[in-house]
Amino acid sequence: EVQLVESGGGLVQPGGSLTLSCAATGFTLSDYGMNWVRQAPGKGLEWVSSFGGSGTTYYADSVKGRFIISRDNTKSTLSLQMNSLRAEDTATYYCAKEFGHGRPFDSWGQGTLVTVSS
Amino acid sequence: EIVLTQSPATLSLSPGERATLSCRASQSVTTYLAWYQQKPGQAPRLLIYDANNRATGIPARFSGSGSGTDFTLTISSLEPEDFAVYYCQQRSTWWTFGQGTKVEMK
């Protein structure tokens, strides 16, 4: 059974940094594209970043230059390093697995809440 | 960037009624369009991919149609558990989501 479990969320001051992790079980992480998607309180879904099967990474314009996505195949973990955090980055962050490279997301974690506030 | 526009923002219906949700793309996405359902406090769930293919375990009352720029998600007869928010999604260079349609109980 595929499971994705996010961790690392919390309260951080504007300008601060935080690293989110997503522990993946039930499949081989390197065989699938993986993504981070966020949802601000009461708002819709916003794609944040992708780690493709070939190692190619993509970022939404809103986070480009501030966030870094990475993957550790040996630990089966996807990470999102978030720097220079802003109030508008406050959201629940979901880890999501593509059901094939470049395909929609068939498995999601439960999400981890990041709050950027002084 | 391809923009997805969903309509209506809110759909007020009763159990047993038919729900028709629309998603329009700012340029053609051929059939690379997916639909998700999200209930309060839960992660989204994939319903439909490639415009008209049901994901694993999705009931037959959910169906998708369309190609190019205009897409529709239809729920043939609403069950109580179908009241939720629905999002469409596409991928060109990167992923984008529509703003969502809330299906609420009348």
Side-chain angles (χ1 to χ4, degrees):
Chain A
E1 180 193 3
V2 170
Q3 267 203 314
L4 300 169
V5 179
E6 302 96 337
S7 60
L11 175 63
V12 60
Q13 292 190 336
S17 298
L18 207 58
T19 298
L20 306 182
S21 296
C22 171
T25 58
F27 68 103
T28 302
L29 190 63
S30 57
D31 287 347
Y32 297 89
M34 295 295 296
N35 296 265
W36 289 98
V37 176
R38 68 185 181 184
Q39 187 169 37
K43 302 297 184 183
L45 302 172
E46 180 189 14
W47 170 80
V48 172
S49 182
S50 289
F51 197 108
S54 60
T56 307
T57 57
Y58 301 91
Y59 299 92
D61 287 344
S62 58
V63 307
K64 201 173 293 182
R66 300 189 298 124
F67 289 12
I68 300 172
I69 191 172
S70 61
R71 185 177 73 190
D72 185 333
N73 293 330
T74 60
K75 295 181 179 179
S76 199
T77 300
L78 181 76
S79 297
L80 185 69
Q81 181 181 335
M82 305 186 295
N83 302 315
S84 303
L85 283 163
R86 307 166 180 166
E88 54 265 35
D89 296 318
T90 294
T92 295
Y93 285 73
Y94 294 100
C95 168
K97 166 189 165 289
E98 297 172 7
F99 72 79
H101 290 303
R103 308 296 280 135
F105 309 158
D106 65 342
S107 296
W108 297 66
Q110 84 289 351
T112 187
L113 177 62
V114 173
T115 302
V116 184
S117 175
S118 54
Chain B
E1 176 186 333
I2 295 178
V3 176
L4 298 177
T5 302
Q6 293 187 239
S7 62
T10 304
L11 202 49
S12 298
L13 296 168
S14 300
E17 288 193 295
R18 182 184 189 90
T20 303
L21 288 66
S22 173
C23 177
R24 177 164 289 178
S26 58
Q27 56 186 281
S28 177
V29 299
T30 61
T31 57
Y32 294 120
L33 196 287
W35 290 94
Y36 296 83
Q37 176 194 67
Q38 188 180 31
K39 297 179 182 179
Q42 296 185 17
R45 177 174 71 146
L46 178 64
L47 298 176
I48 301 286
Y49 65 93
D50 292 348
N52 60 11
N53 292 286
R54 275 189 301 277
T56 302
I58 302 303
R61 64 181 181 272
F62 292 92
S63 63
S65 64
S67 65
T69 60
D70 290 300
F71 299 87
T72 300
L73 174 69
T74 301
I75 310 171
S76 59
S77 178
L78 282 164
E79 296 287 340
E81 61 268 27
D82 299 336
F83 292 93
V85 180
Y86 293 83
Y87 295 93
C88 57
Q89 178 204 39
Q90 69 81 36
R91 177 172 183 157
S92 52
T93 306
W94 53 79
W95 297 103
T96 57
F97 291 92
Q99 82 279 16
T101 289
K102 182 179 182 180
V103 178
E104 66 176 22
M105 199 174 297
K106 193 173 182 181

